[in-house]
Amino acid sequence: MSAESASAVHKGQVDLLDFIDWSSVECLNQSTTHSLPNAIKQGYREDDGLHLESDADEQLLLYIPFTQVIKLYSIAVKGPEDEGPKTVKLWSNKEHMGFSNVNDFPPNDVAVLSPENLKGKPVLLKYVKFQNVRSLTIFIEDNQTESEITKVQKIQLYGSTVETTDMKGLKKIEDH
Amino acid sequence: MVLEATMICVDNSEWMRNGDYSPSRFQAQSDAVSLICGAKTQSNPENTVGVLTMAAKGVRVLATPTSDLGKILACMHGLEIGGQMNLAAGIQVAQLALKHRQNKKQQQRIIVFAGSPVKHEKKMLELIGRKLKKNSVALDIVNFGEEDEGKTEKLEALLAAVNNNDSSHMVHVPPGPNALSDVLISTPIFTGDGEGGSGFAAAAAAASAGGVSGYDFGVDPNLDPELALALRVSMEEERARQEAAAKKAAEDASKQEKGGGQHAISQDATMTENKTNDLDDESALLQQALAMSMDDPEVSHDVRDTDMSEAATDDPELALALQMSVADSAKDSASQTDVSKLLADQSFVSSVLASLPGVDPNDSSVKDLLASMQSQSDKNEEERPNEEEEK
């Protein structure tokens, strides 16, 4: 975990909302009435009344694929003080994880959220581990008060896209 | 048309030897399994189905989720019956098999045939149910066979724990004359959460029950288009013929002294014949009622059918009188006008009378009758303008 930074959005880092591949987004153990779009979709996530809630127990497993390769810089999770998430584990480029294999692979990063974070302060991640991210798996292991249900109001991802190759430049080299 | 991977858990315990479902519980189960496989594969070609057994030597996966129907039917053959059913282990192994399905986009579903007593605790079943819900696996339970006390309760607890937004169902099939498969066809297990029934399910229902189906003639146009077309064409022809006959009957209302009774009978006979083609008795009755209200004069003749036929043979004058009274009471003013006009046509009537057996037009009683008829028709014509004026 890196030290705190003054501003949440570092220069060059953008909200990765536009690069999320919505057709393949999945969330396990979410309640049907309070589902994932409430936490990440534009407009829904700003509304604190709409939140993502867990169903059978307090754990949640989110799978967010991206339309292009991105670098992940920080993540901001907003939730209620008592039922908001505490331990959040992140994996990059692991498809279709289930609750049974969360312990099989060590996470690329772990974030333990403080009440400050739950108010919207982003958590900086190990940037070097998230240089080449096609999909992100977020596992919310428990919540602040060990309650039966975890609630998440907003999840925001900050990062940047990977530079794409300039095809014209490539051609010129071949001409030689 | 939901993309789904299904694991079917078959109960092959000792309790399946019982014959309270014909021919035996196990055989009924096998039929149901093959029907389910067919329905699933037909509703979406990319669906896969797998089978595992829960008893005998232990929980054993016979077929991992596959879209090959033949493989599944083959593995249902030669299954040995014995031992006790292990429901918890069966469901957990099914969950594992689904987890390793090839197409991760498929929804996960487990169908359990619970025919023998459930030996697990309710708490344990609830835990399993919650785990299934957490991993978004739907569960369908077919409760048949042994009616153990507590079994239904445990299964309902399991269903409540798994059920997420009504995607899981439980069906209770008591022993009886109906085959297990027939009962299952009408349940949400087959129709897939109220999608309206797949073509396969409807066709299977038509084939087996020969009763309620979505198709007019009990024949699925998909299965046998030529037969369905032929039936439809013959039905149309029959209807057209009937309509022509009805029109003819309306015009020749007065001719019905001789053959009206019979005609109405025959007309009704053909109508009822066609109605037996209808699958639902209630709709047949409804159609008859509609027909009656439409062809009122004809049917009112039919009502006095027996009277008329008897009268026609015995007493033509009485028949004529009845005919007139019927014509008078008929609500349809158009046909009434026709009838009255025809009756009023003296020459026409006398010619008809002459052709009747045993009637001498020169007979005084007949002449009197004719005279009264004339006045009667005049009165009718008088009444009608009054009615129309009132309107």
Side-chain angles (χ1 to χ4, degrees):
Chain A
M1 287 295 295
S2 21
E4 56 275 347
S5 72
S7 72
V9 185
H10 223 249
K11 69 168 183 202
Q13 306 303 336
V14 294
D15 188 339
L16 296 172
L17 181 67
D18 303 324
F19 304 106
I20 294 178
D21 179 11
W22 292 105
S23 60
S24 312
V25 166
E26 277 169 24
C27 179
L28 288 182
N29 199 27
Q30 63 180 337
S31 119
T32 34
T33 44
H34 300 96
S35 57
L36 185 60
N38 287 353
I40 46 179
K41 261 202 171 160
Q42 190 66 36
Y44 292 93
R45 63 185 188 175
E46 305 305 330
D47 184 357
D48 284 345
L50 293 171
H51 57 267
L52 164 68
E53 206 175 277
S54 69
D55 197 2
D57 62 10
E58 74 281 3
Q59 296 183 336
L60 280 164
L61 191 60
L62 289 80
Y63 172 70
I64 302 173
F66 298 100
T67 51
Q68 54 173 284
V69 181
I70 51 113
K71 299 181 200 235
L72 192 62
Y73 182 71
S74 65
I75 175 170
V77 179
K78 198 161 159 211
E81 210 174 292
D82 46 355
E83 286 156 329
K86 190 162 89 176
T87 313
V88 177
K89 293 184 176 171
L90 296 153
W91 286 266
S92 80
N93 301 332
K94 277 267 182 319
E95 315 253 294
H96 304 114
M97 286 189 76
F99 289 104
S100 47
N101 56 3
V102 285
N103 295 320
D104 294 345
F105 313 106
N108 292 101
D109 204 356
V110 183
V112 179
L113 301 175
S114 64
E116 263 189 347
N117 294 120
L118 285 178
K119 292 209 181 66
K121 180 168 169 220
V123 175
L124 293 168
L125 305 167
K126 288 182 186 156
Y127 196 43
V128 290
K129 300 245 177 169
F130 294 101
Q131 288 294 300
N132 205 358
V133 179
R134 280 212 159 271
S135 71
L136 185 67
T137 304
I138 302 173
F139 175 48
I140 297 173
E141 199 168 1
D142 51 22
N143 52 40
Q144 300 282 331
T145 51
E146 313 286 319
S147 77
E148 276 286 309
I149 296 177
T150 304
K151 292 186 184 164
V152 181
Q153 280 160 344
K154 182 162 110 172
I155 295 179
Q156 219 164 353
L157 302 168
Y158 294 101
S160 58
T161 54
V162 175
E163 294 284 336
T164 53
T165 338
D166 185 6
M167 293 309 290
K168 287 183 194 145
L170 201 61
K171 259 194 178 168
K172 271 189 190 157
I173 293 163
E174 278 178 22
D175 276 347
H176 279 303
Chain B
M1 294 294 280
V2 181
L3 186 58
E4 215 170 46
T6 311
M7 277 301 288
I8 304 181
C9 300
V10 170
D11 182 3
N12 58 335
S13 60
E14 286 288 351
W15 282 265
M16 292 300 109
R17 292 190 198 275
N18 198 332
D20 51 0
Y21 297 81
S22 61
S24 79
R25 282 183 189 172
F26 184 71
Q27 199 52 47
Q29 214 188 152
S30 290
D31 296 336
V33 168
S34 36
L35 265 173
I36 291 176
C37 293
K40 292 285 178 199
T41 354
Q42 207 176 34
S43 79
N44 188 331
E46 285 190 58
N47 281 353
T48 56
V49 183
V51 179
L52 63 80
T53 55
M54 291 193 283
K57 294 208 178 79
V59 176
R60 197 160 60 100
V61 176
L62 300 171
T64 55
T66 168
S67 50
D68 184 2
L69 203 56
K71 187 170 169 204
I72 295 163
L73 295 176
C75 70
M76 286 302 293
H77 275 303
L79 276 182
E80 49 179 57
I81 298 179
Q84 262 195 336
M85 164 179 87
N86 188 347
L87 184 65
I91 294 179
Q92 285 169 324
V93 171
Q95 194 186 348
L96 194 63
L98 283 172
K99 195 173 129 181
H100 293 284
R101 65 196 185 283
Q102 287 192 311
N103 183 358
K104 300 287 180 189
K105 288 218 182 284
Q106 289 168 326
Q107 303 275 332
Q108 303 173 71
R109 181 172 290 272
I110 299 176
I111 303 180
V112 173
F113 283 87
S116 42
V118 177
K119 63 181 186 225
H120 306 280
E121 292 290 324
K122 191 156 85 152
K123 272 240 174 290
M124 183 181 182
L125 291 175
E126 277 178 4
L127 263 167
I128 293 174
R130 271 216 297 271
K131 203 167 140 219
L132 286 177
K133 181 153 86 152
K134 199 172 159 186
N135 287 292
S136 70
V137 180
L139 179 67
D140 289 333
I141 307 173
V142 180
N143 183 9
F144 71 111
E146 287 300 306
E147 304 272 329
D148 198 11
E149 86 274 347
K151 179 189 179 197
T152 313
E153 201 189 310
K154 286 180 190 172
L155 291 177
E156 299 219 328
L158 173 60
L159 186 77
V162 180
N163 202 357
N164 184 9
N165 220 19
D166 268 340
S167 63
S168 304
H169 320 93
M170 175 146 98
V171 179
H172 181 68
V173 186
N178 305 324
L180 184 63
S181 336
D182 293 341
V183 177
L184 283 179
I185 279 168
S186 54
T187 59
I189 292 179
F190 252 90
T191 58
D193 300 341
E195 278 166 9
S198 63
F200 184 92
S208 54
V212 184
S213 90
Y215 302 105
D216 288 333
F217 309 105
V219 174
D220 181 1
N222 294 332
L223 283 183
D224 203 342
E226 289 116 359
L227 182 56
L229 184 64
L231 283 170
R232 192 168 67 234
V233 166
S234 70
M235 186 71 150
E236 300 284 338
E237 279 177 4
E238 182 62 38
R239 277 208 205 103
R241 198 183 60 73
Q242 250 182 60
E243 277 166 28
K247 255 189 244 167
K248 192 164 171 285
E251 284 165 12
D252 307 341
S254 66
K255 278 190 192 156
Q256 285 185 19
E257 300 129 16
K258 198 169 36 169
Q262 287 86 340
H263 185 76
I265 300 170
S266 64
Q267 196 183 358
D268 250 40
T270 47
M271 282 174 78
T272 20
E273 264 171 39
N274 287 330
K275 281 175 188 77
T276 50
N277 284 340
D278 284 346
L279 304 161
D280 203 347
D281 285 345
E282 287 183 1
S283 68
L285 287 171
L286 183 60
Q287 283 201 20
Q288 242 180 351
L290 282 169
M292 278 173 69
S293 61
M294 282 189 315
D295 312 324
D296 207 11
E298 278 69 39
V299 178
S300 54
H301 292 158
D302 179 46
V303 167
R304 295 177 191 88
D305 210 8
T306 43
D307 297 352
M308 279 185 63
S309 45
E310 280 169 27
T313 48
D314 296 344
D315 196 351
E317 292 153 71
L318 184 53
L320 190 54
L322 281 171
Q323 158 75 26
M324 275 172 47
S325 64
V326 159
D328 286 348
S329 64
K331 311 264 184 310
D332 190 351
S333 57
S335 60
Q336 193 173 4
T337 344
D338 288 344
V339 168
S340 317
K341 274 194 188 145
L342 285 167
L343 284 175
D345 191 356
Q346 193 83 315
S347 53
F348 174 77
V349 171
S350 50
S351 66
V352 170
L353 276 177
S355 58
L356 281 176
V359 174
D360 187 4
N362 296 323
D363 196 1
S364 56
S365 52
V366 176
K367 275 192 178 155
D368 287 344
L369 210 54
L370 280 172
S372 67
M373 249 178 55
Q374 182 71 10
S375 58
Q376 190 76 302
S377 55
D378 286 341
K379 229 200 294 184
N380 279 347
E381 282 171 6
E382 244 179 292
E383 282 172 5
R384 211 164 314 100
N386 288 342
E387 280 176 22
E388 284 167 2
E389 278 172 39
E390 279 170 21
K391 282 180 190 170

